[in-house]
Amino acid sequence: MRSWAVTASAKLNTVVEAIAAGLMLALVLDVWLGVVDRYYFHWQLPWPEALARYLMIWAAMLAVSSGVARRNHIGLTSFIMVLPYRLRRAALICMDVLTLALFLYVAWFGVGFAFGGATRHAMIFGASLAPFYAAIPVAAALSSIQLVLVLLRDLGTHIDDPPFEVPQEEAT
């Protein structure tokens, strides 16, 4: 089960990171289009600023699940490190379960938030805001899945004994 969790987490993270990278590329191109429009061509395009905002929201929200997969999120370990190993491991598993509950809560209520955006429209695009608001429940659901996978992968050992090794190319 642990090796399956490692593989599934890595594959899901690869897809999410590729999507986030594509969104960031689109964001950079959109911002450059806005700069070129404003200072050189004076087309007075109304949408680059709004599109940049929504691209940034999606990219940032998707990056949360990547941080969960890599365990690169912020963590305060001062209290945890003074606990005995077995208690430390139990505390880390409990924190993962509580974090999972938070992500599931956000995903559940985020669906209603996204559907609420269906009745609102972006003035510039003339489109529903539901696809933009959907970043919240989608990111929370992906983070929930990743958290279950890394919980199975690490089982509370990620501070003391990282279960995966950094490839030689990344270490240098």
Short mmCIF file of all heavy atoms in Angstrom, two decimals, residues 35-88:
data_model
loop_
_atom_site.label_atom_id
_atom_site.label_comp_id
_atom_site.label_asym_id
_atom_site.label_seq_id
_atom_site.Cartn_x
_atom_site.Cartn_y
_atom_site.Cartn_z
N VAL A 35 1.20 44.89 -20.54
CA VAL A 35 2.25 45.92 -20.56
C VAL A 35 2.44 46.46 -21.97
O VAL A 35 2.50 47.69 -22.18
CB VAL A 35 3.58 45.33 -20.01
CG1 VAL A 35 4.74 46.28 -20.27
CG2 VAL A 35 3.45 45.03 -18.52
N VAL A 36 2.52 45.57 -22.93
CA VAL A 36 2.70 45.99 -24.33
C VAL A 36 1.51 46.82 -24.78
O VAL A 36 1.67 47.85 -25.46
CB VAL A 36 2.92 44.76 -25.24
CG1 VAL A 36 2.82 45.12 -26.71
CG2 VAL A 36 4.26 44.12 -24.94
N ASP A 37 0.31 46.39 -24.40
CA ASP A 37 -0.90 47.14 -24.74
C ASP A 37 -0.85 48.54 -24.15
O ASP A 37 -1.08 49.53 -24.83
CB ASP A 37 -2.13 46.39 -24.22
CG ASP A 37 -3.39 47.23 -24.30
OD1 ASP A 37 -3.56 47.98 -25.28
OD2 ASP A 37 -4.21 47.13 -23.37
N ARG A 38 -0.52 48.64 -22.88
CA ARG A 38 -0.57 49.93 -22.18
C ARG A 38 0.48 50.91 -22.71
O ARG A 38 0.19 52.09 -22.90
CB ARG A 38 -0.38 49.73 -20.69
CG ARG A 38 -0.35 51.06 -19.94
CD ARG A 38 -0.34 50.89 -18.47
NE ARG A 38 -1.67 50.45 -18.07
CZ ARG A 38 -1.99 50.05 -16.85
NH1 ARG A 38 -1.07 50.02 -15.92
NH2 ARG A 38 -3.21 49.68 -16.56
N TYR A 39 1.71 50.44 -22.94
CA TYR A 39 2.80 51.37 -23.23
C TYR A 39 3.18 51.50 -24.70
O TYR A 39 3.85 52.45 -25.07
CB TYR A 39 4.03 50.99 -22.41
CG TYR A 39 3.79 51.17 -20.94
CD1 TYR A 39 3.66 50.08 -20.10
CD2 TYR A 39 3.65 52.44 -20.39
CE1 TYR A 39 3.42 50.25 -18.75
CE2 TYR A 39 3.41 52.63 -19.05
CZ TYR A 39 3.29 51.52 -18.24
OH TYR A 39 3.05 51.69 -16.90
N TYR A 40 2.76 50.52 -25.52
CA TYR A 40 3.20 50.58 -26.92
C TYR A 40 2.05 50.70 -27.92
O TYR A 40 2.05 51.57 -28.76
CB TYR A 40 4.07 49.38 -27.27
CG TYR A 40 5.36 49.37 -26.49
CD1 TYR A 40 5.56 48.47 -25.46
CD2 TYR A 40 6.36 50.29 -26.76
CE1 TYR A 40 6.73 48.46 -24.73
CE2 TYR A 40 7.54 50.30 -26.03
CZ TYR A 40 7.71 49.38 -25.01
OH TYR A 40 8.86 49.40 -24.29
N PHE A 41 1.08 49.80 -27.83
CA PHE A 41 0.05 49.76 -28.86
C PHE A 41 -1.21 50.54 -28.51
O PHE A 41 -1.97 50.91 -29.39
CB PHE A 41 -0.32 48.31 -29.20
CG PHE A 41 0.81 47.56 -29.82
CD1 PHE A 41 1.35 46.45 -29.18
CD2 PHE A 41 1.36 47.95 -31.03
CE1 PHE A 41 2.40 45.75 -29.73
CE2 PHE A 41 2.41 47.26 -31.60
CZ PHE A 41 2.94 46.16 -30.95
N HIS A 42 -1.46 50.75 -27.24
CA HIS A 42 -2.61 51.53 -26.77
C HIS A 42 -3.94 50.97 -27.29
O HIS A 42 -4.82 51.71 -27.69
CB HIS A 42 -2.47 53.01 -27.15
CG HIS A 42 -1.19 53.61 -26.71
ND1 HIS A 42 -0.89 53.83 -25.38
CD2 HIS A 42 -0.08 53.99 -27.41
CE1 HIS A 42 0.33 54.36 -25.30
NE2 HIS A 42 0.85 54.45 -26.51
N TRP A 43 -4.06 49.64 -27.29
CA TRP A 43 -5.30 48.99 -27.71
C TRP A 43 -6.40 49.17 -26.66
O TRP A 43 -7.56 49.02 -26.96
CB TRP A 43 -5.10 47.49 -27.93
CG TRP A 43 -4.16 47.14 -29.04
CD1 TRP A 43 -4.01 47.78 -30.22
CD2 TRP A 43 -3.26 46.03 -29.05
NE1 TRP A 43 -3.07 47.15 -30.98
CE2 TRP A 43 -2.59 46.07 -30.28
CE3 TRP A 43 -2.94 45.03 -28.15
CZ2 TRP A 43 -1.63 45.13 -30.63
CZ3 TRP A 43 -2.00 44.10 -28.50
CH2 TRP A 43 -1.35 44.16 -29.74
N GLN A 44 -6.00 49.42 -25.44
CA GLN A 44 -6.91 49.57 -24.31
C GLN A 44 -7.75 48.31 -24.09
O GLN A 44 -8.96 48.36 -23.94
CB GLN A 44 -7.80 50.80 -24.47
CG GLN A 44 -7.00 52.08 -24.52
CD GLN A 44 -7.88 53.30 -24.63
OE1 GLN A 44 -9.08 53.22 -24.83
NE2 GLN A 44 -7.27 54.46 -24.51
N LEU A 45 -7.05 47.17 -24.06
CA LEU A 45 -7.72 45.90 -23.79
C LEU A 45 -8.21 45.88 -22.34
O LEU A 45 -7.44 46.17 -21.43
CB LEU A 45 -6.77 44.73 -24.03
CG LEU A 45 -6.24 44.56 -25.45
CD1 LEU A 45 -5.17 43.47 -25.49
CD2 LEU A 45 -7.38 44.22 -26.39
N PRO A 46 -9.46 45.55 -22.12
CA PRO A 46 -9.98 45.60 -20.75
C PRO A 46 -9.75 44.33 -19.93
O PRO A 46 -9.90 44.34 -18.73
CB PRO A 46 -11.48 45.80 -20.97
CG PRO A 46 -11.75 45.13 -22.27
CD PRO A 46 -10.50 45.33 -23.11
N TRP A 47 -9.37 43.23 -20.56
CA TRP A 47 -9.36 41.95 -19.87
C TRP A 47 -8.03 41.42 -19.34
O TRP A 47 -8.04 40.52 -18.50
CB TRP A 47 -9.98 40.88 -20.76
CG TRP A 47 -9.37 40.82 -22.14
CD1 TRP A 47 -9.82 41.48 -23.25
CD2 TRP A 47 -8.21 40.11 -22.53
NE1 TRP A 47 -9.00 41.21 -24.31
CE2 TRP A 47 -8.00 40.37 -23.90
CE3 TRP A 47 -7.31 39.28 -21.87
CZ2 TRP A 47 -6.94 39.83 -24.61
CZ3 TRP A 47 -6.26 38.74 -22.59
CH2 TRP A 47 -6.09 39.02 -23.95
N PRO A 48 -6.84 41.89 -19.75
CA PRO A 48 -5.62 41.26 -19.23
C PRO A 48 -5.47 41.31 -17.71
O PRO A 48 -5.01 40.35 -17.11
CB PRO A 48 -4.50 42.04 -19.92
CG PRO A 48 -5.09 42.52 -21.19
CD PRO A 48 -6.52 42.84 -20.84
N GLU A 49 -5.86 42.40 -17.08
CA GLU A 49 -5.71 42.50 -15.63
C GLU A 49 -6.63 41.51 -14.91
O GLU A 49 -6.22 40.83 -13.97
CB GLU A 49 -6.00 43.92 -15.16
CG GLU A 49 -5.80 44.09 -13.68
CD GLU A 49 -6.14 45.51 -13.22
OE1 GLU A 49 -6.18 46.43 -14.03
OE2 GLU A 49 -6.35 45.65 -12.01
N ALA A 50 -7.87 41.42 -15.34
CA ALA A 50 -8.81 40.49 -14.71
C ALA A 50 -8.39 39.04 -14.95
O ALA A 50 -8.44 38.21 -14.03
CB ALA A 50 -10.21 40.73 -15.24
N LEU A 51 -7.97 38.74 -16.16
CA LEU A 51 -7.52 37.37 -16.46
C LEU A 51 -6.30 37.01 -15.62
O LEU A 51 -6.20 35.89 -15.11
CB LEU A 51 -7.20 37.23 -17.95
CG LEU A 51 -6.76 35.84 -18.40
CD1 LEU A 51 -7.82 34.80 -18.11
CD2 LEU A 51 -6.40 35.86 -19.88
N ALA A 52 -5.38 37.94 -15.45
CA ALA A 52 -4.19 37.68 -14.63
C ALA A 52 -4.59 37.35 -13.19
O ALA A 52 -4.01 36.44 -12.57
CB ALA A 52 -3.26 38.90 -14.65
N ARG A 53 -5.57 38.04 -12.68
CA ARG A 53 -6.04 37.78 -11.30
C ARG A 53 -6.55 36.35 -11.18
O ARG A 53 -6.19 35.62 -10.26
CB ARG A 53 -7.15 38.77 -10.96
CG ARG A 53 -7.68 38.64 -9.56
CD ARG A 53 -8.79 39.66 -9.26
NE ARG A 53 -8.47 40.99 -9.71
CZ ARG A 53 -9.20 41.70 -10.58
NH1 ARG A 53 -10.29 41.18 -11.08
NH2 ARG A 53 -8.84 42.90 -10.95
N TYR A 54 -7.37 35.91 -12.12
CA TYR A 54 -7.96 34.57 -12.03
C TYR A 54 -6.93 33.47 -12.33
O TYR A 54 -6.99 32.40 -11.73
CB TYR A 54 -9.17 34.45 -12.95
CG TYR A 54 -10.29 35.39 -12.53
CD1 TYR A 54 -10.83 36.31 -13.40
CD2 TYR A 54 -10.77 35.36 -11.22
CE1 TYR A 54 -11.84 37.16 -13.00
CE2 TYR A 54 -11.77 36.22 -10.81
CZ TYR A 54 -12.31 37.11 -11.71
OH TYR A 54 -13.30 37.96 -11.30
N LEU A 55 -6.00 33.75 -13.22
CA LEU A 55 -4.93 32.77 -13.47
C LEU A 55 -4.05 32.61 -12.22
O LEU A 55 -3.66 31.48 -11.88
CB LEU A 55 -4.06 33.21 -14.66
CG LEU A 55 -4.69 33.09 -16.04
CD1 LEU A 55 -3.80 33.77 -17.08
CD2 LEU A 55 -4.93 31.64 -16.41
N MET A 56 -3.79 33.70 -11.54
CA MET A 56 -2.97 33.64 -10.33
C MET A 56 -3.69 32.87 -9.22
O MET A 56 -3.08 32.08 -8.50
CB MET A 56 -2.62 35.04 -9.85
CG MET A 56 -1.78 35.03 -8.61
SD MET A 56 -0.27 34.12 -8.85
CE MET A 56 0.89 35.37 -8.55
N ILE A 57 -4.98 33.09 -9.09
CA ILE A 57 -5.76 32.37 -8.08
C ILE A 57 -5.70 30.87 -8.34
O ILE A 57 -5.42 30.07 -7.44
CB ILE A 57 -7.21 32.87 -8.03
CG1 ILE A 57 -7.26 34.29 -7.45
CG2 ILE A 57 -8.11 31.91 -7.24
CD1 ILE A 57 -8.60 34.98 -7.60
N TRP A 58 -5.94 30.45 -9.58
CA TRP A 58 -5.90 29.03 -9.91
C TRP A 58 -4.51 28.45 -9.68
O TRP A 58 -4.36 27.36 -9.10
CB TRP A 58 -6.35 28.79 -11.35
CG TRP A 58 -7.80 28.44 -11.44
CD1 TRP A 58 -8.81 29.28 -11.77
CD2 TRP A 58 -8.38 27.16 -11.19
NE1 TRP A 58 -10.00 28.61 -11.73
CE2 TRP A 58 -9.77 27.29 -11.39
CE3 TRP A 58 -7.88 25.92 -10.82
CZ2 TRP A 58 -10.65 26.22 -11.23
CZ3 TRP A 58 -8.76 24.87 -10.66
CH2 TRP A 58 -10.12 25.02 -10.86
N ALA A 59 -3.47 29.14 -10.13
CA ALA A 59 -2.11 28.62 -9.97
C ALA A 59 -1.74 28.50 -8.49
O ALA A 59 -1.18 27.48 -8.06
CB ALA A 59 -1.11 29.52 -10.70
N ALA A 60 -2.06 29.50 -7.71
CA ALA A 60 -1.72 29.47 -6.29
C ALA A 60 -2.49 28.39 -5.56
O ALA A 60 -1.94 27.67 -4.71
CB ALA A 60 -1.99 30.84 -5.65
N MET A 61 -3.77 28.23 -5.88
CA MET A 61 -4.57 27.21 -5.21
C MET A 61 -4.10 25.81 -5.58
O MET A 61 -4.08 24.92 -4.72
CB MET A 61 -6.06 27.40 -5.54
CG MET A 61 -6.66 28.67 -4.98
SD MET A 61 -6.42 28.90 -3.20
CE MET A 61 -7.31 27.51 -2.56
N LEU A 62 -3.74 25.58 -6.83
CA LEU A 62 -3.24 24.26 -7.22
C LEU A 62 -1.89 23.96 -6.58
O LEU A 62 -1.57 22.81 -6.30
CB LEU A 62 -3.14 24.15 -8.74
CG LEU A 62 -4.48 24.06 -9.48
CD1 LEU A 62 -4.24 24.03 -10.98
CD2 LEU A 62 -5.29 22.87 -9.03
N ALA A 63 -1.12 25.00 -6.34
CA ALA A 63 0.20 24.81 -5.73
C ALA A 63 0.09 24.29 -4.30
O ALA A 63 1.04 23.68 -3.79
CB ALA A 63 0.99 26.11 -5.76
N VAL A 64 -1.04 24.48 -3.66
CA VAL A 64 -1.22 23.98 -2.30
C VAL A 64 -1.08 22.46 -2.27
O VAL A 64 -0.39 21.90 -1.42
CB VAL A 64 -2.59 24.42 -1.72
CG1 VAL A 64 -2.88 23.74 -0.40
CG2 VAL A 64 -2.64 25.93 -1.57
N SER A 65 -1.72 21.77 -3.22
CA SER A 65 -1.62 20.30 -3.22
C SER A 65 -0.20 19.84 -3.52
O SER A 65 0.24 18.80 -3.03
CB SER A 65 -2.62 19.69 -4.20
OG SER A 65 -2.21 19.84 -5.53
N SER A 66 0.52 20.60 -4.30
CA SER A 66 1.92 20.27 -4.56
C SER A 66 2.75 20.42 -3.30
O SER A 66 3.62 19.60 -3.01
CB SER A 66 2.48 21.16 -5.67
OG SER A 66 3.80 20.83 -5.95
N GLY A 67 2.48 21.45 -2.53
CA GLY A 67 3.17 21.63 -1.25
C GLY A 67 2.85 20.51 -0.28
O GLY A 67 3.72 20.05 0.46
N VAL A 68 1.61 20.04 -0.30
CA VAL A 68 1.22 18.92 0.55
C VAL A 68 1.96 17.66 0.11
O VAL A 68 2.49 16.92 0.93
CB VAL A 68 -0.30 18.70 0.52
CG1 VAL A 68 -0.69 17.40 1.19
CG2 VAL A 68 -1.03 19.86 1.19
N ALA A 69 2.02 17.41 -1.20
CA ALA A 69 2.68 16.21 -1.71
C ALA A 69 4.16 16.17 -1.36
O ALA A 69 4.70 15.12 -1.04
CB ALA A 69 2.51 16.13 -3.23
N ARG A 70 4.80 17.31 -1.39
CA ARG A 70 6.23 17.38 -1.11
C ARG A 70 6.52 17.67 0.36
O ARG A 70 7.67 17.74 0.76
CB ARG A 70 6.88 18.47 -1.96
CG ARG A 70 6.85 18.17 -3.43
CD ARG A 70 7.41 19.36 -4.21
NE ARG A 70 7.39 19.12 -5.62
CZ ARG A 70 8.38 18.58 -6.30
NH1 ARG A 70 9.46 18.21 -5.68
NH2 ARG A 70 8.27 18.41 -7.60
N ARG A 71 5.46 17.90 1.11
CA ARG A 71 5.59 18.31 2.52
C ARG A 71 6.47 19.55 2.63
O ARG A 71 7.31 19.67 3.52
CB ARG A 71 6.12 17.18 3.39
CG ARG A 71 5.14 16.03 3.50
CD ARG A 71 5.01 15.62 4.93
NE ARG A 71 4.19 14.43 5.07
CZ ARG A 71 3.03 14.44 5.72
NH1 ARG A 71 2.58 15.53 6.25
NH2 ARG A 71 2.34 13.33 5.83
N ASN A 72 6.26 20.48 1.73
CA ASN A 72 7.01 21.73 1.72
C ASN A 72 6.21 22.88 2.32
O ASN A 72 6.54 24.03 2.12
CB ASN A 72 7.41 22.10 0.29
CG ASN A 72 8.56 21.28 -0.20
OD1 ASN A 72 9.29 20.70 0.58
ND2 ASN A 72 8.73 21.21 -1.51
N HIS A 73 5.14 22.57 2.99
CA HIS A 73 4.33 23.62 3.60
C HIS A 73 4.95 24.03 4.93
O HIS A 73 5.83 23.35 5.46
CB HIS A 73 2.88 23.18 3.77
CG HIS A 73 2.75 21.82 4.38
ND1 HIS A 73 2.90 21.58 5.72
CD2 HIS A 73 2.50 20.61 3.81
CE1 HIS A 73 2.75 20.31 5.96
NE2 HIS A 73 2.50 19.69 4.83
N ILE A 74 4.49 25.11 5.45
CA ILE A 74 5.04 25.64 6.69
C ILE A 74 4.63 24.73 7.84
O ILE A 74 3.48 24.32 7.95
CB ILE A 74 4.52 27.07 6.95
CG1 ILE A 74 5.06 28.01 5.88
CG2 ILE A 74 4.91 27.54 8.35
CD1 ILE A 74 4.49 29.40 5.96
N GLY A 75 5.58 24.42 8.69
CA GLY A 75 5.27 23.61 9.86
C GLY A 75 6.14 24.06 11.02
O GLY A 75 7.33 24.29 10.86
N LEU A 76 5.53 24.18 12.17
CA LEU A 76 6.28 24.53 13.37
C LEU A 76 6.59 23.23 14.11
O LEU A 76 5.68 22.56 14.59
CB LEU A 76 5.48 25.49 14.25
CG LEU A 76 5.10 26.80 13.58
CD1 LEU A 76 4.21 27.62 14.49
CD2 LEU A 76 6.34 27.57 13.20
N THR A 77 7.85 22.88 14.18
CA THR A 77 8.23 21.58 14.73
C THR A 77 8.87 21.65 16.11
O THR A 77 9.27 20.63 16.65
CB THR A 77 9.19 20.87 13.76
OG1 THR A 77 10.34 21.69 13.58
CG2 THR A 77 8.53 20.57 12.44
N SER A 78 8.98 22.81 16.68
CA SER A 78 9.64 22.94 17.98
C SER A 78 8.98 22.06 19.03
O SER A 78 9.66 21.34 19.76
CB SER A 78 9.62 24.39 18.46
OG SER A 78 10.31 25.20 17.55
N PHE A 79 7.68 22.11 19.13
CA PHE A 79 6.96 21.32 20.11
C PHE A 79 7.05 19.83 19.78
O PHE A 79 7.27 19.00 20.67
CB PHE A 79 5.49 21.76 20.18
CG PHE A 79 4.64 20.87 21.04
CD1 PHE A 79 4.77 20.89 22.42
CD2 PHE A 79 3.73 20.00 20.47
CE1 PHE A 79 4.00 20.07 23.22
CE2 PHE A 79 2.96 19.17 21.26
CZ PHE A 79 3.09 19.21 22.64
N ILE A 80 6.89 19.49 18.53
CA ILE A 80 6.89 18.09 18.10
C ILE A 80 8.24 17.43 18.37
O ILE A 80 8.31 16.28 18.80
CB ILE A 80 6.55 18.00 16.59
CG1 ILE A 80 5.13 18.49 16.33
CG2 ILE A 80 6.73 16.60 16.06
CD1 ILE A 80 4.05 17.65 16.93
N MET A 81 9.32 18.14 18.15
CA MET A 81 10.66 17.53 18.26
C MET A 81 11.05 17.20 19.71
O MET A 81 11.96 16.41 19.92
CB MET A 81 11.71 18.43 17.63
CG MET A 81 11.52 18.58 16.12
SD MET A 81 11.38 17.03 15.23
CE MET A 81 13.07 16.51 15.22
N VAL A 82 10.38 17.76 20.70
CA VAL A 82 10.72 17.42 22.08
C VAL A 82 9.94 16.20 22.57
O VAL A 82 10.23 15.68 23.65
CB VAL A 82 10.49 18.61 23.04
CG1 VAL A 82 11.38 19.77 22.67
CG2 VAL A 82 9.04 19.01 23.09
N LEU A 83 8.99 15.72 21.78
CA LEU A 83 8.21 14.54 22.17
C LEU A 83 9.00 13.27 21.89
O LEU A 83 9.82 13.24 20.97
CB LEU A 83 6.89 14.50 21.37
CG LEU A 83 5.91 15.64 21.62
CD1 LEU A 83 4.73 15.52 20.65
CD2 LEU A 83 5.42 15.64 23.05
N PRO A 84 8.74 12.21 22.63
CA PRO A 84 9.35 10.92 22.31
C PRO A 84 8.89 10.46 20.93
O PRO A 84 7.82 10.84 20.46
CB PRO A 84 8.81 9.98 23.40
CG PRO A 84 8.27 10.86 24.46
CD PRO A 84 7.94 12.17 23.85
N TYR A 85 9.68 9.61 20.30
CA TYR A 85 9.44 9.22 18.90
C TYR A 85 8.02 8.71 18.67
O TYR A 85 7.35 9.15 17.75
CB TYR A 85 10.47 8.17 18.46
CG TYR A 85 10.25 7.72 17.04
CD1 TYR A 85 10.60 8.55 15.98
CD2 TYR A 85 9.69 6.49 16.76
CE1 TYR A 85 10.40 8.17 14.68
CE2 TYR A 85 9.47 6.09 15.45
CZ TYR A 85 9.83 6.93 14.42
OH TYR A 85 9.62 6.55 13.13
N ARG A 86 7.55 7.77 19.47
CA ARG A 86 6.22 7.19 19.26
C ARG A 86 5.11 8.25 19.44
O ARG A 86 4.16 8.28 18.67
CB ARG A 86 5.98 6.02 20.20
CG ARG A 86 6.77 4.80 19.83
CD ARG A 86 6.30 3.61 20.67
NE ARG A 86 7.12 2.45 20.44
CZ ARG A 86 6.93 1.59 19.45
NH1 ARG A 86 5.96 1.78 18.59
NH2 ARG A 86 7.72 0.55 19.31
N LEU A 87 5.26 9.08 20.42
CA LEU A 87 4.28 10.14 20.64
C LEU A 87 4.35 11.18 19.52
O LEU A 87 3.32 11.70 19.07
CB LEU A 87 4.51 10.79 22.01
CG LEU A 87 3.44 11.73 22.51
CD1 LEU A 87 2.08 11.04 22.55
CD2 LEU A 87 3.79 12.24 23.89
N ARG A 88 5.56 11.46 19.07
CA ARG A 88 5.76 12.40 17.96
C ARG A 88 5.06 11.88 16.72
O ARG A 88 4.36 12.61 16.02
CB ARG A 88 7.25 12.57 17.71
CG ARG A 88 7.58 13.53 16.62
CD ARG A 88 9.07 13.65 16.39
NE ARG A 88 9.82 13.57 17.63
CZ ARG A 88 11.08 13.21 17.69
NH1 ARG A 88 11.76 12.91 16.61
NH2 ARG A 88 11.71 13.15 18.85
#
